[in-house]
């Protein structure tokens, strides 16, 4: 997965918008969204991303072996990073749609 942040963002953003649009079509009078709904949207977008980029789910060996291995901080990998970016995009879009006065 040799893509930089903007390319990854431009791949995720349309999928996130599609999922949010579909959610609001099914729930037109929503004023409050639970954490479970956000997690379901993140899962849906992540599954769509796996169809396009299956390497997201395959974390490479990210730690070097050596005598200082125990001093290294843990690295969470591609899956966690991709899900965090998806969650940030979805939450920001939901905030923009549910409370547009915040963005004036």
């Amino acid at each position: 997965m040799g893509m930089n942040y903007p390319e990854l963002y431009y791949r995720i953003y349309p999928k996130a918008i599609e999922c949010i649009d579909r959610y609001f079509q099914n729930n037109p009078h929503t004023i409050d969204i639970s954490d479970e709904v956000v997690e379901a949207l993140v899962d849906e977008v992540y599954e769509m991303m796996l169809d396009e980029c299956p390497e997201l789910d395959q974390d490479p060996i990210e730690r070097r072996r050596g005598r200082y291995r125990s001093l290294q901080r843990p690295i969470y990998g591609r899956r966690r990073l991709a899900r965090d970016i998806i969650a940030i995009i979805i939450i920001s879009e939901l905030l923009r749609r549910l409370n547009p006065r915040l963005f004036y």
Side-chain angles (χ1 to χ4, degrees), residues 14-99:
K15 293 169 183 55
I17 296 301
E18 177 186 335
C19 289
I20 292 170
D21 287 342
R22 193 172 30 238
Y23 175 77
F24 279 118
Q25 282 177 350
N26 296 334
N27 306 300
H29 302 292
T30 302
I31 57 171
D32 190 26
I33 297 179
S34 67
D35 292 343
E36 292 81 21
V37 171
V38 173
E39 280 298 318
L41 291 171
V42 170
D43 291 340
E44 187 176 343
V45 173
Y46 184 73
E47 291 297 322
M48 294 167 92
M49 284 300 298
L50 283 181
D51 292 340
E52 187 176 322
C53 305
E55 66 271 9
L56 282 176
D57 211 29
Q58 301 167 355
D59 288 332
I61 298 172
E62 295 180 337
R63 297 179 127 212
R64 292 185 179 167
R65 298 178 193 263
R67 82 174 123 156
Y68 299 110
R69 190 173 96 188
S70 63
L71 298 176
Q72 292 178 346
R73 63 182 174 85
I75 300 175
Y76 295 104
R78 296 176 184 161
R79 180 182 312 144
R80 179 67 182 226
L81 178 64
R83 289 183 60 82
D84 287 348
I85 292 171
I86 292 168
I88 289 168
I89 292 170
I90 287 176
I91 291 169
S92 66
E93 183 64 21
L94 289 172
L95 285 172
R96 188 184 68 75
R97 289 185 185 198
L98 293 175
N99 196 352

